[in-house]
């Protein structure tokens, strides 16, 4: 049941996002779009409640409960960022707005950008770890919590690997090619 609910929440996230952005830019219904986009966090609350009820009803803690915690952590950390990013693209494509700024590609600016994204991963990992620890305490000695503990290690590994990737942009920054300076000057003049 929990696996299907995780899938339904993921699909619901994108459906609500498409409806919200469509209402905002195609139909010009700003209030409706705000309501639709504010429904996004309700999906995670439903998933959290369903997972707790599933565990309370005696379900053996399994990988699906760990997946639910990782999903909630991801959406807490990256949900608003994703919505803002897609809103910028929708404004550009559907409402004639300016093109959204692209992330930096080179040097320290790229390293800062990757570090900010890694901090989001740390937040998502912390949320997932906290939810998994609450599930471990909730289940207590009455069940096997090894799968929940395994997902805690999975969350830590994800954050660690992402940290190494972000660190690589600091240690080995990509240098802009010589012709990139000319390209960026042309792009700046075009804006």
């Amino acid at each position: 049941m929990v696996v299907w609910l995780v899938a339904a929440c993921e699909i619901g996230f994108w459906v609500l996002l498409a409806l919200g952005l469509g209402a905002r830019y195609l139909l010009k219904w700003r209030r409706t779009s705000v309501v639709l986009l504010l429904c996004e966090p309700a999906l995670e609350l439903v998933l959290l409640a369903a997972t707790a009820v599933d565990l309370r009803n005696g379900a053996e803690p399994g990988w699906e409960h760990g997946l639910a915690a990782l999903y909630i952590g991801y959406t807490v950390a990256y949900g608003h960022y994703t919505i803002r990013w897609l809103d910028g693209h929708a404004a550009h494509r559907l409402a004639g707005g300016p093109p959204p700024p692209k992330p930096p590609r080179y040097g320290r600016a790229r390293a800062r950008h990757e570090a900010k994204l890694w901090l989001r991963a740390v937040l998502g990992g912390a949320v997932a770890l906290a939810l998994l620890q609450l599930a471990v305490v909730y289940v207590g000695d009455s069940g096997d919590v090894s799968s929940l503990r395994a997902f805690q290690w999975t969350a830590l590994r994800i954050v660690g690997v992402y940290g190494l990737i972000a660190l690589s942009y600091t240690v080995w920054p990509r240098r802009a090619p010589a012709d990139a300076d000319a390209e960026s000057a042309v792009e700046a003049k075009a804006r």
Side-chain angles (χ1 to χ4, degrees):
M1 174 181 101
V2 175
V3 174
W4 292 108
L5 197 54
V6 170
C9 285
E10 178 67 13
I11 292 167
F13 176 84
W14 293 105
V15 168
L16 281 174
L17 184 56
L19 290 174
L21 295 176
R24 177 175 291 174
Y25 295 112
L26 296 176
L27 302 175
K28 309 292 187 217
W29 296 348
R30 182 137 179 95
R31 287 185 188 161
T32 303
S33 75
V34 170
V35 170
L36 287 168
L37 293 175
L38 286 175
C39 288
E40 297 278 0
L43 293 172
E44 281 66 45
L45 293 176
V46 167
L47 179 59
L48 180 62
T51 304
V53 167
D54 192 42
L55 289 172
R56 185 188 65 198
N57 289 339
E60 190 67 29
W63 64 272
E64 59 274 3
H65 300 101
L67 179 65
L70 289 178
Y71 175 77
I72 292 171
Y74 175 82
T75 55
V76 166
Y78 287 96
H80 181 70
Y81 177 80
T82 302
I83 291 170
R84 195 174 62 229
W85 180 79
L86 283 172
D87 186 43
H89 284 279
H92 173 63
R93 301 246 185 228
L94 302 175
K102 293 182 178 180
R105 294 174 54 183
Y106 306 107
R108 290 181 189 238
R110 179 59 184 226
R112 274 191 302 276
H113 174 74
E114 292 296 328
K116 288 178 185 176
L117 289 178
W118 176 71
L119 288 175
R120 287 185 181 279
V122 169
L123 172 64
V127 168
L129 285 171
L131 290 174
L132 288 164
Q133 187 60 38
L134 286 172
V136 166
V137 171
Y138 187 66
V139 170
D141 295 333
S142 64
D144 180 22
V145 294
S146 61
S147 64
L148 299 176
R149 295 278 185 212
F151 266 90
Q152 286 180 319
W153 285 109
T154 299
L156 287 172
R157 280 193 302 269
I158 290 169
V159 170
V161 168
Y162 203 147
L164 290 174
I165 292 169
L167 183 64
S168 73
Y169 282 95
T170 302
V171 175
W172 299 288
R174 285 184 60 195
R175 292 198 174 114
D179 61 339
D181 292 332
E183 283 180 27
S184 61
V186 170
E187 287 178 10
K189 287 181 182 179
R191 290 184 192 166

